[in-house]
Amino acid sequence: MSTPKSKRQTSARPNSSKTDGRKSAARTVARKTAKLKAGTRSAVGQQHQSSTQQTGRARSKQPRIIAMLRAPSGATIDAMVHTTGWQPHSVRGFLAGIVRKKLSLNLVSAAAESGRVYRITDHTATSTAVVAAKTSPAE
């Protein structure tokens, strides 16, 4: 009887993929430590930087959109797309996910000639519900 041969073919260099993986992992770790030494600061330096980063955040896209929405005239999707460079579906996702849910701001919209206009009113969505519950007669 003859013994069946394996269908799996062996490479000329066995376990070469394992050693390559270890070498690349070692290179990655070496690069990361080099970057840490050269480009970043310690945790103490990071805490000091946080106060300056807050002022830089005022120019980010999120505060710009919120400022547009707080204006009495409000803002359209097109205006927010133009300001941020985002796609329209990303702006709508920001309005639903960040403005309404995460920040709990009362975002209202109204149809206008130039399109749907969004604005943030003074009352938050949760405080409006609390006021309505307090004013309703008890049964």
Side-chain angles (χ1 to χ4, degrees), residues 23-50:
K23 287 179 184 176
S24 65
R27 274 185 257 136
T28 304
V29 170
R31 286 183 193 144
K32 287 181 180 179
T33 55
K35 284 182 181 180
L36 283 174
K37 289 179 183 176
T40 61
R41 296 188 178 115
S42 66
V44 175
Q46 292 292 337
Q47 289 173 351
H48 179 65
Q49 289 275 329
S50 65

Side-chain angles (χ1 to χ4, degrees), residues 1 50 63 72 74 80 96 123 128-129 133 136:
M1 287 185 142
S50 65
M80 291 181 270
H123 304 290
T128 306
S136 65

Side-chain angles (χ1 to χ4, degrees), residues 26-104:
R27 274 185 257 136
T28 304
V29 170
R31 286 183 193 144
K32 287 181 180 179
T33 55
K35 284 182 181 180
L36 283 174
K37 289 179 183 176
T40 61
R41 296 188 178 115
S42 66
V44 175
Q46 292 292 337
Q47 289 173 351
H48 179 65
Q49 289 275 329
S50 65
S51 62
T52 59
Q53 287 178 351
Q54 289 174 352
T55 58
R57 285 295 227 177
R59 294 186 204 108
S60 71
K61 295 175 183 179
Q62 180 174 337
R64 278 191 271 168
I65 290 181
I66 292 174
M68 291 172 69
L69 294 170
R70 287 191 189 274
S73 59
T76 62
I77 295 282
D78 289 336
M80 291 181 270
V81 164
H82 181 72
T83 300
T84 60
W86 292 344
Q87 295 292 320
H89 66 273
S90 299
V91 173
R92 286 190 291 274
F94 172 80
L95 295 176
I98 302 297
V99 175
R100 281 193 173 136
K101 291 182 181 175
K102 190 172 184 182
L103 299 177
S104 299

Side-chain angles (χ1 to χ4, degrees), residues 122-137:
D122 292 334
H123 304 290
T124 60
T126 55
S127 67
T128 306
V130 170
V131 170
K134 285 183 181 178
T135 57
S136 65

Side-chain angles (χ1 to χ4, degrees), residues 69-70 105-109 119-125 128:
L69 294 170
R70 287 191 189 274
L105 297 172
N106 191 21
L107 183 69
V108 295
S109 66
R119 69 179 56 86
I120 295 174
T121 61
D122 292 334
H123 304 290
T124 60
T128 306

